[in-house]
Amino acid sequence: MARKNLRSLTRISAISTAFAIFLTGLVAPASAQSVVRIRPATQWGSVYAGPATSAKQTATPKVAHLEKKAKFIVKYNNFPEWTKIQVQAAIDTWAENFDSKVPIYIDATWGRSSSFSILGSARPGSYFANFSGAPDPSLWYPSALANALAGKDLDGDSPEMVITVNSLANWYRGNGVGPSKSEYDLQSVILHEMAHGLGFLSTDSYDNFFGYGSIDQPTPYDAYVQTGDGRRLSDLPSPSLELGEALTSKLVWSGVQGIAANGGVKPLLYTPKVYEDGSSISHLDEATFSKAGRDAVMSPNLDAGEIFHEPGPLLLAMMQDLRTKPPVGIAVGIPQTVRNAEALLSDSGAIVKFDPPANARAAQITSYTVKNVKTGAEKSFTNSPAVMPGLKNGTSYTFTVTASNSLGTSDAVTTNAITPQAGWKTSVIDPAADAKNLTSVTFNTNPAVIYQDANNGALKVALWNGKVWNKLTVDGRGGSAGRTRNAITGEVSACVSGYGKAQTLHIFYADSVDKDLRYATYDGKTFKYEVVDGNGPAVNGYEDPIRVRSASDVSISNACSVSAAGVQVFYRDESQGILLGAVKAKGITEWSYELVDGDRKTDGRTTGDVGFHLDALFDGKDTILLYDSVLTINTRKEATSGAIRVAQRNGLSPTAWRYSTLDSSGGPIAVVGYDVALQKGARGILATWLTSSTLTLPKAEQIRWTYLSAPTEFKTLPTNGYGTPGKFLSSDGQTTIFNCQERLCAVDIAKNTLSLVTKEQNPDGFDSAWIVLNKIRYLVSGINNQLLLLRAT
């Protein structure tokens, strides 16, 4: 969806708003040692209306203008104009006190609360674990804090914070001396609720009938909350009566900075004997802190006439604690054995994967030890997977894994045997580019590689002139003559028209801010630029067959095709969850727009959420389009069923499309998709995608392909020994490249066998493409901040 640039949505689809995970291949790893996990936020923190304050208060004027450390962007829903000044004042205060390079989007709603006594409530957009930069990968960090720690937006489809404000409260509407003793200060409420949205919030829940407490996804806040005997709240069994009792007993904050800001005393949290949803645990104790001046801001009640226009030193200190790794809790018992231990081969090494023991939460594991059974060498790790270098290619190895804590060590678990193998040989095309999304074509009889340079956000093209590679900047560093100053993002596609050495290169790409689909042409001398779509006046209705230029987010995916009839580009409308097309017929200067699929179940079409991944080509007769369709999701924003679809047409007419479903969920197959590739092969047009089973969901487990001439004759290959498969897919019709455990692997289509391409790992995956250079076929990919040529040994 297009919420990052605050465009309006006209299709309310639970599927299309939920797929940050599927969009990145469902296996969006955040470091070489982790796989990013995302869960929806369901618990809210609220502030309640208290009685009139005992003394008239006035806001303390600011003594200086502080530099903003973060950028907050608010989507206002039904807020009266008079409220926005006070809301913005609270936002400006947090912008000066919360450090993040990633913009923070807030979805704020003005309306009736579930209880008249609730002034406001807030929650994070989502929670993330195992991302790069997480102080403790086992904990769940709220969206804004996770993004700040990761240094990037981990979910481009959801706001970082959701706030609701009770429109029926007796609000102070002025900007002068402050509220009376019967009015409530909106700026103070927003300041308080933003703290909840930024992470001052427990994810606990309590069963009032049975007395059970639950914490299904412990956060760093939960890990800093401590019981009277020194145990961490996050370590208590869940669900349990023990946790329920803790939630209604004395609890304190154990963070070093919070204790220091409280005069060396552990701050007492609000834990009334009768559990209060939205208040218990997620606030400072009312009796202790209600009269503590600026440090009363996070007490659960706001009195009429009470004012807080600054976070206060205690709150800021506790927020800083959340950015550091909580100390290990008290271990209860020796760790049980690790689960699902598996060894994966690498080049002169191995990767050992495992899941924590069943009692990991209570055992407080301090380290894992991986032992090479053949050599006896041991290495310690804090999480999975463990990289074991220094092995001999061609030699078989097995490993054991144990878990340790302060009380002892688990029994050892032995992995499968693996035999390391050499990767492909490499040479450098561009030594100074962190090449991300890329594609390749043959242009003027020589190979051309188009790629994004993540170092500076530019789109580049490397052109082989027969002797050397010439590197040109296409876009992303300009702003004049149709170029954009914004960083380039999303997929890149390229096509070529013309013949011999009088060809035109057509490049389609998107920018990271406006989310528009952009277009550049190059005739060998000059680039020309225009915006294809995304910069229209409004979002089209998703069922509207008459398409015009839209204001949708069209930055997710695109694929182009060129024939004698003209240029075609196909792309996902993220705001609507549909697949669009734009056509520029030969001799015509304007684009014609069409809705390709995702709008109805007639004429062979589908109402699935389509086009997260797509590929296109022209086979000399037809334009062929391959794309995925998500049909259902679960509460964790994970796809649970879907389809791989093909659309074909002869010519450019919007009514000429012929549709078919190539593969779909059913039987042992849970989800199909993750990425797609389309290429001319030995037996015709080869289509490739990935699949998962119910046992591996949401991760893929195998690669699948077929020829469109025999669409029911599937070939399926598990990736055992190489690791979890994921995007990006690329094929030359003989060999298909995919990501395996954050590396590159290859499938020999004729032999139905796997091999390792690279041992280097990339948390975001490696994109790749094929070229022919001096009659030799090479793979190109961005590895270790360089654009490389790779050739099988």
Side-chain angles (χ1 to χ4, degrees), residues 660-679:
S660 61
T661 295
L662 195 60
D663 194 14
S664 60
S665 302
I669 303 298
V671 174
V672 295
Y674 301 87
D675 200 6
V676 298
L678 200 60
Q679 183 63 38

Side-chain angles (χ1 to χ4, degrees), residues 338-361:
V338 301
R339 299 167 295 169
N340 304 318
E342 179 186 8
L344 309 174
L345 66 84
S346 187
D347 186 348
S348 303
I351 297 174
V352 180
K353 297 171 57 180
F354 52 88
D355 292 328
N359 69 335
R361 190 161 168 174

Side-chain angles (χ1 to χ4, degrees), residues 11 533 542 544 547 554 557-559 569-582 593-600 605-616 624-629 645-647 657 659:
R11 183 188 188 190
D533 204 356
Y542 80 93
D544 190 350
R547 307 301 297 186
V554 289
S557 58
N558 68 79
V569 60
F570 309 100
Y571 47 98
R572 173 176 167 79
D573 181 331
E574 178 69 358
S575 302
Q576 304 290 325
I578 55 180
L579 181 58
L580 301 179
Y593 300 95
E594 61 180 315
L595 199 168
V596 178
D597 203 359
D599 60 325
R600 63 179 185 264
R605 294 157 90 130
T606 181
T607 54
D609 201 13
V610 294
F612 289 100
H613 310 95
L614 65 154
D615 203 356
I624 304 174
L625 186 59
L626 181 71
Y627 54 98
D628 53 9
S629 173
R645 292 181 54 80
V646 178
W657 287 109
Y659 300 92

